[in-house]
Amino acid sequence: QVQLVESGGGLVQPGGSLRLSCAASRTFFSIYPMAWYRQAPGKRRELVAGITNGGTTSYADSVKGRSTISKDNAKNTVYLQMNSLKPEDTAVYYCHEDTLGGAWGQGIQVTVSS
């Protein structure tokens, strides 16, 4: 059973930055595309960013230019660097192994508030 464990969330002021990490307990991590999703209260879970096994990245329009997804295959870890955070970025963020039936992390809270 693959486990994905997120870390790095918390409370940050508007305009601040956070880096989320997701550590995966699996072999051959390098061949798996990964993604970050988020879910705000009362809203559907939405895709924030994705990265393919070849390193190609994609972003939701709402975070494009402010966020960077990256993958360290040696550490079995995927990151989401978020800058210029806004209150509307407040959500629970989930790491996901972006395959059919792929694993999900337990989620981590990010709150952007003054």
Side-chain angles (χ1 to χ4, degrees), residues 14-54:
S17 297
L18 276 179
R19 189 177 79 156
L20 303 182
S21 300
C22 171
S25 63
R26 73 135 63 244
T27 53
F28 305 114
F29 176 74
S30 63
I31 70 172
Y32 286 88
M34 299 294 295
W36 286 95
Y37 284 73
R38 68 185 181 187
Q39 187 166 19
K43 294 189 176 181
R44 296 178 62 180
R45 191 172 296 189
E46 63 175 0
L47 176 65
V48 177
I51 184 166
T52 69
N53 56 353

Side-chain angles (χ1 to χ4, degrees), residues 12-18 66 82-86 112:
V12 62
Q13 291 189 340
S17 297
L18 276 179
R66 302 188 294 120
M82 298 188 293
N83 303 319
S84 301
L85 283 161
K86 306 174 181 179
V112 184

Side-chain angles (χ1 to χ4, degrees), residues 4-7 36 45 92-95 104-109:
L4 303 176
V5 180
E6 299 102 337
S7 61
W36 286 95
R45 191 172 296 189
V92 177
Y93 284 72
Y94 297 90
C95 176
W104 289 87
Q106 80 285 356
I108 191 162
Q109 179 70 46

Side-chain angles (χ1 to χ4, degrees), residues 15-16 32 62 73 101 110:
Y32 286 88
S62 57
N73 292 324
V110 171

